[in-house]
Amino acid sequence: MTAGSSSAPGQSPAPAPARTPKGMHDVLWPESARWEAVVARFADLVGSAGYGLTVTPILEHAGVFLRGIGEGSEVVGKEMYVFEDRDGQLMALRPEGTAPIARAFVQHHPVPPWKAWYVAPSFRHENPQQGRYRQHHQLGVEALGPSDADLDVEVVSLAHDFFAGLGLREVTLKLHSMGDGVCKPGYVALLGAFLAERADQLCPAHRARHLENPLRVLDCKTSECRAATADAPRFLDHLCDACAAHFARVRSGLDALGVVYTIDHRLVRGFDYYTRTTFEFSSDALGSAQNGIGGGGRYDGMVELLGGPPTPGIGFGLGIERILLACDAEGAFPVDPTPLDAFVVDTTGGTAARDLTAALRDAGFSADRAFDDRSMKAQFKAADRSGARWVLVVGPDEAASGTVSLRPLRDAGDQRTVPVADVVAAVRAATRPGAFPDAP
RNA sequence: GUGGGCGUAGCUCAGUUGGUUAGAGCGCCAGGUUGUGGUCCUGGAGGUCGGGGGUUCGAGACCCCUCGCUCACCCCA
């Protein structure tokens, strides 16, 4: 790599490398164009459903996550970036998007229903692999206030519609319910008792730890745990009446909107805060084990945990990196870089390039130019690379006669020369579909 | 946190049982083209062979350590 930095002999052993931290990546042009497009699509979709952009700090007091999500969760307990700042306060880099939105709700007490969307980086200190990074980016929505099952339907179908809009076809939606304060404890106890009876049949990891969080055993992928829990009691059979009615309404709503899903009795999401509806989107096009491209659910107790009034809420987070991987795998959502309208080639070393690009941009065209007074050939190569549709040439002849030559780079057509005063009008005519300057 | 694979030009990669000045394609720069890119031809620049230590007369190749990338477990977007 580019070592570059010179360290005095006997000084610090390893010069600071000019590279991103492990598991973190730069997104450079033109790849970043797909990011822009994905985010723009999302903003448009959820914006039209009444959600407003909400920007929260990357850093929160660690307590927001410790209390909101729970120290028991893997992400908060083992993977969160936590540190003491210069004031001695315990801070954390956001590991997920929901808790900060709930915190903002508590802090600003907006009038419910409060519908927020966000695009934000998330940080988790884990070992990177395909589709898993220490910094990744999530698109999400959170809706706080209503406990109405129709809101669950809206939120789930928004994510569904978003994936469909990108052209992703191999997306699976799994749906489940985690109950509420009334029925969850009873079910967890029931499941715990069931597991205790056959603890010796569980995989080694859960043989010792199944009592800590019985729900997690359902999610275990080992054949031992799968077999041992094959006829474990199902949460959906033990929901209280209110939760059962809620879930039934969610299902009928999704059915009515044509959103296809499968019930997954093992769907146990990683954060402690979930209640009632939970869901997960995965891409069957991704060969990797990291095929989850989005997930979410209801969290009716979190706002209260953070010190706010009892307020139901539901939302989801979608991973941009994984969505892009899924798009690659399916050949979906191709994004072409937006071409420039014009590129100015000026070999006179004068002010033509400066003035022409400024005039074009003022007139609403996209325009670029070469710098450092390079050769005609070099400037044309730069123009070609830029993808510009037209080149405006100013050489000694044009400079002497007060004209500019227009040459099409991407379409057929001949080069024309026009007076400087007419350049903007000529470009305007030329960039009209199928048009050519001075065409009869 | 654990385990496997891999680190040679900007990119993708060759590099024979360790043996002189480390190669190719693409990209970049210049010229062929006395003004004009995308094709073609010629030439050029660009590498402390990830870093450190060791073995050897001699290491890009072998050994150790380290850093990083990658895949997987765990967990998750």
Side-chain angles (χ1 to χ4, degrees):
Chain A
M1 291 277 102
T2 40
S5 58
S6 58
S7 56
Q11 286 283 341
S12 48
R19 46 178 312 126
T20 51
K22 181 174 186 163
M24 305 189 182
H25 301 280
D26 299 318
V27 183
L28 306 182
W29 185 90
E31 175 62 23
S32 55
R34 304 183 72 207
W35 270 68
E36 259 188 309
V38 165
V39 174
R41 282 280 189 115
F42 188 79
D44 188 52
L45 178 72
V46 300
S48 71
Y51 292 76
L53 175 63
T54 306
V55 181
T56 65
I58 273 184
L59 236 47
E60 295 276 355
H61 294 291
V64 169
F65 303 110
L66 296 176
R67 278 186 290 144
I69 303 173
E71 297 180 55
S73 75
E74 204 85 2
V75 167
V76 170
K78 298 178 61 179
E79 299 175 349
M80 195 159 68
Y81 280 86
V82 213
F83 65 95
E84 207 171 274
D85 74 4
R86 290 169 186 274
D87 296 327
Q89 307 211 64
L90 196 60
M91 310 298 286
L93 252 45
R94 165 177 48 222
E96 59 92 56
T98 301
I101 298 287
R103 189 229 81 226
F105 179 86
V106 173
Q107 179 171 340
H108 304 287
H109 38 269
V111 178
W114 190 54
K115 296 165 87 172
W117 76 269
Y118 60 86
V119 49
S122 288
F123 300 85
R124 295 176 195 174
H125 190 102
E126 45 193 352
N127 272 342
Q129 69 186 78
Q130 174 73 263
R132 217 213 9 246
Y133 312 104
R134 288 190 172 181
Q135 176 177 349
H136 73 280
H137 299 80
Q138 291 192 21
L139 294 162
V141 304
E142 309 293 344
L144 289 121
S147 58
D148 193 328
D150 277 2
L151 184 58
D152 304 37
V153 173
E154 171 177 296
V155 166
V156 173
S157 64
L158 275 175
H160 169 272
D161 292 351
F162 177 61
F163 291 133
L166 293 178
L168 291 172
R169 305 191 59 80
E170 299 179 58
V171 174
T172 302
L173 167 59
K174 289 187 274 190
L175 192 69
H176 197 210
S177 174
M178 304 280 289
D180 63 6
V182 175
C183 52
K184 192 172 183 176
Y187 172 72
V188 171
L190 187 66
L191 180 64
F194 174 88
L195 293 175
E197 281 175 23
R198 51 199 81 196
D200 55 324
Q201 297 169 34
L202 300 175
C203 75
H206 285 117
R207 209 165 292 164
R209 297 195 296 128
H210 67 275
L211 289 175
E212 293 172 19
N213 191 344
L215 291 173
R216 189 143 299 160
V217 181
L218 289 179
D219 195 33
C220 184
K221 297 177 192 72
T222 63
S223 52
E224 296 106 300
C225 283
R226 285 293 206 207
T229 57
D231 34 60
R234 296 176 159 185
F235 211 149
L236 296 187
D237 297 330
H238 298 273
L239 293 175
C240 61
D241 290 346
C243 286
H246 184 94
F247 193 60
R249 191 171 167 83
V250 171
R251 291 192 58 172
S252 67
L254 291 174
D255 292 340
L257 294 183
V259 176
V260 178
Y261 58 87
T262 60
I263 300 295
D264 184 349
H265 297 281
R266 295 181 182 277
L267 177 56
V268 174
R269 304 209 18 95
F271 302 128
D272 298 346
Y273 53 64
Y274 284 117
T275 58
R276 293 194 166 173
T277 313
T278 55
F279 55 95
E280 217 167 76
F281 290 87
S282 55
S283 167
D284 303 322
L286 293 177
S288 151
Q290 267 63 48
N291 65 350
I293 55 176
R298 194 162 262 291
Y299 42 87
D300 291 345
M302 180 152 57
V303 169
E304 206 171 353
L305 277 176
L306 291 174
T311 308
I314 180 169
F316 62 68
L318 317 178
I320 295 182
E321 285 83 356
R322 289 189 186 173
I323 289 171
L324 259 19
L325 286 173
C327 286
D328 289 341
E330 288 200 41
F333 201 58
V335 172
D336 296 321
T338 313
L340 288 172
D341 293 317
F343 192 98
V344 180
V345 167
D346 174 7
T347 59
T348 67
T351 59
R354 182 195 67 200
D355 296 340
L356 278 174
T357 50
L360 286 165
R361 292 167 185 169
D362 282 349
F365 295 104
S366 55
D368 201 0
R369 53 163 293 191
F371 292 95
D372 290 339
D373 207 19
R374 305 230 279 148
S375 72
M376 177 80 64
K377 177 171 182 164
Q379 293 196 43
F380 257 86
K381 288 191 75 157
D384 191 51
R385 264 197 300 271
S386 78
R389 296 179 56 197
W390 291 84
V391 171
L392 309 200
V393 188
V394 180
D397 295 350
E398 288 86 352
S401 60
T403 59
V404 176
S405 294
L406 275 72
R407 180 183 175 82
L409 275 190
R410 292 156 64 93
D411 307 311
D414 295 325
Q415 181 166 318
R416 291 301 176 89
T417 299
V418 302
V420 170
D422 299 342
V423 166
V424 169
V427 170
R428 186 170 288 127
T431 52
R432 232 184 335 246
F436 190 73
D438 301 340

